[in-house]
Amino acid sequence: MLEDKTPQRTQLSQLGEFGLIDHLTKNFDVKHASTLKSIGDDAAVLDFGSKKAVVSTDLLIEGVHFDLAYMPLRHLGYKAVVVNLSDICAMNAKPTQITVSVAVSNRFPLEALEELFDGITLAAKVYNIDVIGGDTTSSQKGLIISVTAIGEANEDEIVYRNGAKEGDLLIVTGDLGSAYMGLQVLEREKQVFQVNPNNQPDLDAYTYLIERQLKPEARTDVRELLEQLNVKPTSMIDVSDGLSSEILHICKQSKVGCNLYEEKIPVDPQFINVCEEFNIDSTTIAINGGEDYELLFTIALDDFDKIKANPNFTVVGHIVKEEESSHLITRANAKIPLKARGWNALEE
């Protein structure tokens, strides 16, 4: 099928701000009784009754958080939602609503924003959430997306970062490091393309890693899994900035230390192969890479038997006294101080 070399381009000025909002949000429908009023007024109205509301906001900026050279707008819309839902999951809450705000430069026609909102709409459908509002404005620096996620939970269900205790086990869901290596593959292919635009990349050997980078998923399933196992974590956080950073967040807020075991860190075979191809130490990437959007949590030692056979969870370490500090225990049984070397948005 031949590519349309002259795609339709509708200038956003033809619609105006409110016309644009109406156009982009026409496919959003309301799924939750708690959404009393969604898009169309000065504010959304939510009724949670006896439940507690959990709210989180995230900002994605072109050139900082994403590169449109290899990030399709549809995937970007989907990912923008997922990264916020992950924060709600990290509170052991159920995501229910989001608001979406977008700032765009005049290089983006209506069709580009339609692609972006197609991804947002798909995520709303997949995760059964309501899009209840947002804002649009102009930008001189490309594309900026801000999503606020709202969730609900009973007060006794909510899990914070500050509840880890000495003797608790460190648990992580899924595998780690793949999203970072997917980004490295995409950056390499971008550089090859810049040198030779006729080059067509062969990405078949990297499909899992690239999907983890371009289309991550929020672990909304973990809350239900833990409930079925009758396990409530003592602390929890999502792995967005890297395992080392997230562990140290829990340790700092819980006033504890930890031992993280290198041999226990879950990684995918494709990840190992690509680390070897890039001549990069796999453990360094697995603990520092970020953007995996898995969940890291602690449980009481007494709950180990309940989760030990579940393939979704891996025990990667345990909590120790604060004065013992936090360490990585290598395969050679060396004890190395654990440092936060994950993503830092304000780093030069």
Side-chain angles (χ1 to χ4, degrees):
M1 189 172 180
L2 295 176
E3 181 183 358
D4 184 0
K5 299 296 184 181
T6 57
Q8 182 181 357
R9 288 179 61 89
T10 305
Q11 294 300 317
L12 301 182
S13 57
Q14 294 181 27
L15 288 86
E17 179 182 0
F18 296 108
L20 176 61
I21 292 170
D22 289 342
H23 184 89
L24 294 176
T25 61
K26 62 186 178 184
N27 294 322
F28 294 134
D29 55 357
V30 172
K31 309 172 195 66
H32 294 274
S34 55
T35 307
L36 300 184
K37 179 66 177 178
S38 60
I39 298 167
D41 215 306
D42 287 311
V45 180
L46 308 178
D47 179 11
F48 288 100
S50 61
K51 291 185 180 294
K52 302 301 178 183
V54 178
V55 182
S56 179
T57 298
D58 208 12
L59 194 63
L60 298 178
I61 300 174
E62 183 179 357
V64 177
H65 301 100
F66 60 88
D67 187 336
L68 292 178
Y70 48 74
M71 169 66 84
L73 285 165
R74 188 174 284 104
H75 285 69
L76 177 61
Y78 191 94
K79 183 174 181 176
V81 175
V82 164
V83 300
N84 282 272
L85 300 188
S86 183
D87 285 329
I88 302 300
C89 295
M91 301 297 294
N92 202 38
K94 175 187 176 182
T96 49
Q97 289 93 1
I98 60 169
T99 65
V100 180
S101 297
V102 178
V104 290
S105 68
N106 58 12
R107 86 172 198 267
F108 292 92
L110 172 64
E111 288 73 21
L113 286 186
E114 284 178 333
E115 285 192 45
L116 179 72
F117 273 73
D118 281 347
I120 294 170
T121 304
L122 176 60
K125 180 179 180 180
V126 169
Y127 289 99
N128 193 38
I129 56 170
D130 296 335
V131 182
I132 60 169
D135 194 15
T136 58
T137 189
S138 60
S139 165
Q140 295 181 339
K141 298 285 187 179
L143 177 61
I144 301 171
I145 308 167
S146 176
V147 176
T148 296
I150 302 164
E152 64 178 26
N154 294 322
E155 187 170 9
D156 61 354
E157 295 173 329
I158 297 175
V159 178
Y160 302 94
R161 298 179 183 180
N162 63 359
K165 301 288 190 296
E166 180 187 358
D168 284 357
L169 299 177
L170 269 172
I171 316 288
V172 72
T173 64
D175 62 84
L176 302 175
S178 294
Y180 181 87
M181 288 312 297
L183 178 62
Q184 302 316 299
V185 170
L186 291 167
E187 286 286 353
R188 181 184 66 183
E189 296 305 320
K190 174 187 173 182
Q191 293 172 14
V192 171
F193 178 80
Q194 289 173 338
V195 173
N196 180 12
N198 293 319
N199 181 75
Q200 293 298 315
D202 182 4
L203 300 176
D204 288 347
Y206 313 105
T207 51
Y208 178 69
L209 305 185
I210 290 173
E211 183 173 353
R212 291 282 281 176
Q213 170 58 219
L214 297 184
K215 190 176 177 289
E217 301 292 351
R219 295 305 303 260
T220 53
D221 59 321
V222 169
R223 181 174 185 264
E224 186 174 336
L225 283 170
L226 291 173
E227 186 177 7
Q228 290 171 353
L229 295 169
N230 194 29
V231 173
K232 181 185 176 182
T234 54
S235 66
M236 187 183 287
I237 191 171
D238 76 324
V239 185
S240 55
D241 298 331
L243 180 64
S244 59
S245 296
E246 315 303 3
I247 287 177
L248 291 175
H249 280 312
I250 284 179
C251 288
K252 179 180 179 181
Q253 296 203 21
S254 298
K255 294 181 171 56
V256 294
C258 77
N259 287 330
L260 170 67
Y261 291 86
E262 179 183 18
E263 64 180 358
K264 300 294 185 182
I265 299 170
V267 293
D268 186 82
Q270 191 176 101
F271 165 78
I272 296 292
N273 293 338
V274 178
C275 283
E276 292 175 354
E277 179 184 337
F278 277 71
N279 195 27
I280 296 177
D281 179 68
S282 60
T283 298
T284 299
I285 302 306
I287 67 174
N288 297 313
E291 287 204 295
D292 292 301
Y293 300 106
E294 296 293 345
L295 295 178
L296 170 73
F297 58 94
T298 55
I299 63 170
L301 183 59
D302 290 344
D303 285 332
F304 172 65
D305 286 340
K306 299 176 184 178
I307 63 99
K308 66 180 181 181
N310 194 298
N312 292 282
F313 306 133
T314 303
V315 179
V316 294
H318 62 268
I319 300 298
V320 298
K321 294 177 181 178
E322 184 176 21
E323 52 266 32
E324 294 182 39
S325 194
S326 298
H327 293 89
L328 173 69
I329 311 301
T330 70
R331 291 185 178 88
N333 208 33
K335 201 171 186 179
I336 302 172
L338 191 63
K339 302 292 184 182
R341 294 192 173 93
W343 166 254
N344 182 352
L346 301 181
E347 194 171 54
E348 293 291 339

